[in-house]
C-alpha cells in the first residue's frame, strides 16, 4: 500500500481508534450552541442511538446540580477567553445511572480572533473514580488500624508488665498476644468468605493452640459470616479464652474439657457458649486483668460477652448482634472438621550449620541471628539487598532463610539461584498472598511474620 492509499483510509483508522478507546468526540458551535458528536458520545450519556440534537444547555442538564455551575462557568470562560475547557464531573445518564466523566475541549478561532467553536472529547472515568475512592478508603482504614494496633500494643505491654513476675513470662505473654493480633489481621485481609466465616476464625485460633483440639468439642453450625470488625473481635476473644484454658483452666490438666455451643437467638443474634468442665476449681476472688478486659469490651457495642467464673469451670457467653453479621456467600465454604495437627517440636542443635539470612529489617535480622546462634548455627548475614545475597552464595551456605521483599525489590533471583545450586531455603514473609510466587519458591516452607520461634526452627531443621 502506498502512502496516498494509507492517507485516504485514515478516516477508517481514526474511527477504529475512537471505537476501541471508548472516546466520545464532539464539536460545539460557539454561535448557535449546537454540537455534533459521534455515537460513543451519546452512549456515555445513556442513549443507544444519536439524539437529533445536542447543545451545551442539554449537556448541563445531565451534570449533577452541585457541579453544574462550576462546569458552566468553565464553558463560558472557554468561549469568551479562548481558554481550554477541561473538567471532571458527575452526571446522571438518561437511564438514571450515575457516572463520572472527564471532558476536555480546545477553542478554534475565527479570522476575527473570536472563538468560533470548541472541539474535544469526553470519556467515562467511573471505574477510575471508584478505584480512587477504594484506595482512599483503604488508606484511611490502614491508618486507623495501624494507630489502633500500636495503641493495643501499648496497653498489652502495660498490663502484661503488671502481672508478670519474670522477664521470660512477660516476653511470652506479650508475644502470644501479638501473635493473636497478627492472626486477626490475616483474617481481615483474607478472601471475603474466609474473612467472615466463624469456621475459619475458630480454625485459625486453634492452629495457634494445635494439640488441644481433641479436648475441645464444637456443637452447632459454624456457617456464620461476620463483618471484618466482628472477625477481628472474635479472633481476639477466642485467643484469650484458649490462653486462659491452657494456662489456668480446663485444658491445664488432663481431665479438662471445653465445649463450644453455637446457636441462634432472637433478631438474628448468634450465641456462642464457651463451657469449661473437669478443670481445676476456680478461686472465688479473682483480680480482673487485661484478658478479662479484652473479652468484655471486644464486641464494641455490637454484641456482648459475659463471664461466669463458676467453681466447676469458666462459662463465657458471646452474643453477636445482627449488625455484625454478613450475608452468606453464594458459594458457602465446604464443611470442615476444624481439626489441626501440630507437627512435633524439633529440639535440634544447628552446630556447624551455615545459615544465610536474607532480611532487610535490621531488628528482625538481629532477632533471627540471635535465635540461630543460640542453637549453634553459623549465621551468614543478614543480607539486606539482592546483590549482596547473590555474592554471599559463593561462600556456600547449607541452608537459607529468605524474606520475599527487600525494600523495592523481590528475592526471586536469589530463590532461583538457590534452587539452581540445590541449596534448600525457608521463606519468611509478612506477605499474606503467596499465590503469585515464582516457581522457584514452589517447594520452600512458607512461614508468616510474626513467627513463632519453634515454627522457624522446625522449618530449618528439615534441611539440616
Amino acid at each position: 500500500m502506498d502512502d496516498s492509499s494509507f492517507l485516504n483510509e485514515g478516516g477508517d483508522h481514526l474511527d477504529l481508534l475512537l471505537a476501541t478507546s471508548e472516546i466520545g468526540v464532539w464539536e460545539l458551535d460557539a454561535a448557535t450552541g449546537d454540537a455534533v458528536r459521534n455515537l460513543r458520545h451519546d452512549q456515555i450519556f445513556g442513549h443507544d442511538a444519536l439524539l437529533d440534537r445536542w447543545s451545551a444547555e442539554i449537556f448541563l442538564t445531565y451534570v449533577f446540580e452541585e457541579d453544574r455551575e462550576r462546569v458552566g462557568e468553565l464553558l463560558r470562560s472557554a468561549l469568551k477567553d479562548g481558554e481550554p475547557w477541561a473538567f471532571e464531573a458527575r452526571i446522571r445518564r438518561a437511564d438514571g445511572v450515575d457516572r463520572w466523566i472527564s471532558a476536555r475541549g480546545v477553542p478554534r478561532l475565527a479570522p476575527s480572533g473570536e472563538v468560533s467553536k470548541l472541539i474535544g472529547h469526553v470519556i467515562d472515568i467511573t471505574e477510575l473514580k471508584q478505584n480512587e475512592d477504594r484506595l482512599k478508603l483503604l488508606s484511611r482504614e490502614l491508618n486507623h488500624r495501624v494507630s489502633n494496633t500500636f495503641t493495643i500494643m501499648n496497653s498489652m505491654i502495660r498490663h502484661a508488665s503488671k502481672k508478670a513476675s519474670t522477664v521470660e513470662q512477660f516476653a511470652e505473654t506479650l508475644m502470644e498476644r501479638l501473635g493473636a493480633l497478627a492472626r486477626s489481621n490475616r483474617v481481615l485481609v483474607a478472601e471475603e468468605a474466609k474473612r467472615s466465616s466463624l469456621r475459619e476464625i475458630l480454625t485459625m485460633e486453634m492452629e495457634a493452640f494445635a494439640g488441644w483440639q481433641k479436648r475441645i468439642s464444637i456443637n452447632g453450625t459454624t456457617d456464620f459470616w461476620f463483618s471484618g470488625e466482628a472477625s477481628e473481635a472474635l479472633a481476639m476473644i477466642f485467643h484469650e479464652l484458649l490462653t486462659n484454658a491452657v494456662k489456668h483452666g480446663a485444658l491445664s490438666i488432663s481431665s479438662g474439657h471445653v465445649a463450644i455451643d453455637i446457636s441462634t437467638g432472637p433478631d438474628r443474634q448468634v450465641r456462642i457458649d464457651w463451657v469449661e468442665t473437669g478443670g481445676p476449681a476456680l478461686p472465688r476472688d479473682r483480680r480482673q486483668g487485661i484478658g478479662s478486659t479484652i473479652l468484655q469490651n471486644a464486641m464494641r457495642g455490637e454484641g456482648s460477652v459475659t463471664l461466669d467464673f463458676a467453681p466447676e469451670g469458666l462459662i463465657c457467653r458471646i452474643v453477636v448482634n445482627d449488625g455484625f453479621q454478613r450475608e452468606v456467600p453464594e458459594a458457602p465454604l465446604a464443611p470442615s472438621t476444624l481439626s489441626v495437627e501440630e507437627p512435633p517440636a524439633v529440639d535440634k542443635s544447628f552446630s556447624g550449620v551455615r545459615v544465610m539470612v536474607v532480611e532487610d529489617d535490621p531488628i528482625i535480622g538481629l532477632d533471627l541471628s540471635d535465635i540461630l546462634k543460640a542453637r549453634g548455627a553459623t549465621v551468614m548475614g543478614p543480607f539486606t539487598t539482592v546483590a549482596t545475597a547473590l555474592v554471599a552464595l559463593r561462600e556456600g551456605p547449607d541452608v537459607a532463610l529468605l524474606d520475599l521483599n527487600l525494600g523495592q525489590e523481590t528475592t526471586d533471583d536469589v530463590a532461583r539461584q538457590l534452587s539452581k545450586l540445590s541449596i534448600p531455603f525457608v521463606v519468611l514473609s509478612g506477605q499474606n498472598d503467596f499465590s503469585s510466587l515464582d516457581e522457584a519458591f514452589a517447594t520452600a516452607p512458607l512461614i508468616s511474620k510474626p513467627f513463632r520461634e519453634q515454627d522457624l526452627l522446625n522449618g530449618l531443621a528439615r534441611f539440616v
Side-chain angles (χ1 to χ4, degrees):
M1 178 185 295
D2 59 29
D3 291 345
S4 60
S5 298
F6 179 82
L7 292 173
N8 288 336
E9 295 184 5
D12 293 335
H13 288 280
L14 179 58
D15 289 341
L16 177 62
L17 175 63
L18 293 174
T20 56
S21 60
E22 297 292 312
I23 297 175
V25 295
W26 51 267
E27 180 179 308
L28 177 67
D29 188 294
T32 65
D34 290 337
V36 294
R37 63 272 172 224
N38 67 347
L39 174 60
R40 179 56 189 155
H41 174 282
D42 286 16
Q43 288 174 338
I44 289 173
F45 290 88
H47 301 281
D48 294 331
L50 276 170
L51 298 179
D52 295 334
R53 181 175 178 271
W54 189 265
S55 68
E57 289 74 17
I58 293 174
F59 157 70
L60 288 172
T61 64
Y62 288 80
V63 178
F64 268 43
E65 186 174 355
E66 50 265 46
D67 294 338
R68 196 172 297 159
E69 183 176 351
R70 170 179 61 87
V71 174
E73 183 57 36
L74 289 172
L75 173 60
R76 287 186 288 272
S77 296
L79 292 172
K80 177 182 177 182
D81 304 324
E83 297 292 333
W85 185 35
F87 63 90
E88 293 179 358
R90 293 164 296 171
I91 64 168
R92 178 157 293 162
R93 300 192 321 189
D95 55 8
V97 176
D98 296 338
R99 307 291 288 180
W100 273 92
I101 62 168
S102 172
R104 184 174 183 85
V106 293
R108 288 294 180 261
L109 304 180
S112 62
E114 296 179 345
V115 176
S116 62
K117 59 184 177 181
L118 291 175
I119 62 172
H121 70 265
V122 59
I123 57 175
D124 187 320
I125 59 168
T126 305
E127 185 175 348
L128 176 62
K129 280 293 184 181
Q130 289 173 343
N131 288 337
E132 287 180 357
D133 290 342
R134 280 194 288 268
L135 287 173
K136 290 177 182 178
L137 178 62
L138 287 172
S139 179
R140 288 195 298 268
E141 176 64 18
L142 177 61
N143 289 333
H144 172 73
R145 192 164 300 282
V146 168
S147 178
N148 277 353
T149 298
F150 280 116
T151 304
I152 292 170
M153 289 169 61
N154 287 337
S155 299
M156 287 179 175
I157 292 170
R158 281 195 297 269
H159 284 81
S161 65
K162 293 176 183 178
K163 300 192 70 175
S165 57
T166 66
V167 173
E168 290 77 14
Q169 184 182 15
F170 168 74
E172 181 183 1
T173 300
L174 185 59
M175 285 191 293
E176 286 177 354
R177 288 206 168 102
L178 289 177
L181 273 179
R183 290 191 298 277
S184 68
N185 180 69
R186 286 197 287 273
V187 168
L188 293 175
V189 300
E191 295 177 10
E192 186 69 15
K194 291 185 178 181
R195 181 174 94 171
S196 307
S197 167
L198 176 58
R199 182 187 306 151
E200 292 298 331
I201 296 167
L202 286 168
T203 300
M204 175 192 66
E205 279 307 317
M206 287 188 178
E207 284 177 348
F209 291 84
W212 303 99
Q213 283 80 0
K214 293 179 180 179
R215 295 165 58 193
I216 300 174
S217 62
I218 299 176
N219 310 304
T221 180
T222 56
D223 288 334
F224 292 101
W225 279 259
F226 300 107
S227 67
E229 292 83 356
S231 299
E232 182 183 37
L234 289 169
M236 293 297 293
I237 289 170
F238 288 127
H239 170 78
E240 293 301 324
L241 290 171
L242 281 163
T243 298
N244 183 73
V246 169
K247 289 186 174 181
H248 314 291
L251 300 181
S252 64
I253 60 177
S254 59
S255 60
H257 179 266
V258 174
I260 302 175
D261 299 320
I262 305 165
S263 61
T264 56
D267 300 322
R268 295 188 68 217
Q269 286 182 338
V270 177
R271 294 180 178 177
I272 307 168
D273 291 329
W274 174 283
V275 182
E276 299 185 21
T277 56
L282 298 179
R284 292 184 178 181
D285 298 326
R286 293 182 57 87
R287 184 179 66 177
Q288 179 161 313
I290 186 174
S292 298
T293 302
I294 289 173
L295 289 172
Q296 292 173 333
N297 294 278
M299 296 310 296
R300 309 174 192 176
E302 289 291 345
S304 62
V305 177
T306 56
L307 300 172
D308 179 4
F309 294 99
E312 59 272 18
L314 172 67
I315 300 174
C316 176
R317 165 160 286 189
I318 307 162
V319 176
V320 187
N321 293 341
D322 180 33
F324 252 9
Q325 295 186 52
R326 299 181 66 89
E327 294 300 321
V328 177
E330 293 183 2
L333 299 174
S336 65
T337 62
L338 296 176
S339 176
V340 179
E341 292 297 329
E342 182 178 30
V346 176
D347 186 16
K348 182 175 182 178
S349 171
F350 285 25
S351 179
V353 178
R354 294 166 57 83
V355 183
M356 184 175 80
V357 176
V358 183
E359 168 62 59
D360 62 333
D361 186 283
I363 296 177
I364 297 175
L366 178 62
D367 188 31
L368 294 172
S369 296
D370 288 345
I371 292 171
L372 295 170
K373 288 177 181 177
R375 291 299 181 108
T378 299
V379 177
M380 300 169 55
F383 300 102
T384 60
T385 66
V386 170
T388 55
L390 290 173
V391 172
L393 286 176
R394 301 171 186 171
E395 300 178 24
D398 299 309
V399 64
L401 190 57
L402 192 64
D403 191 5
L404 284 179
N405 298 288
L406 304 180
Q408 300 299 315
E409 56 183 352
T410 67
T411 53
D412 291 10
D413 289 342
V414 181
R416 294 189 195 102
Q417 190 63 19
L418 286 166
S419 298
K420 183 178 179 180
L421 296 172
S422 299
I423 299 173
F425 62 94
V426 174
V427 175
L428 184 66
S429 177
Q431 185 171 313
N432 290 295
D433 182 9
F434 299 108
S435 60
S436 61
L437 291 183
D438 187 271
E439 61 180 12
F441 295 96
T443 59
L446 301 173
I447 300 175
S448 295
K449 297 176 181 177
F451 57 90
R452 295 189 300 175
E453 181 175 332
Q454 191 60 59
D455 291 338
L456 177 69
L457 295 174
N458 285 359
L460 290 171
R462 62 188 289 186
F463 299 122
V464 297

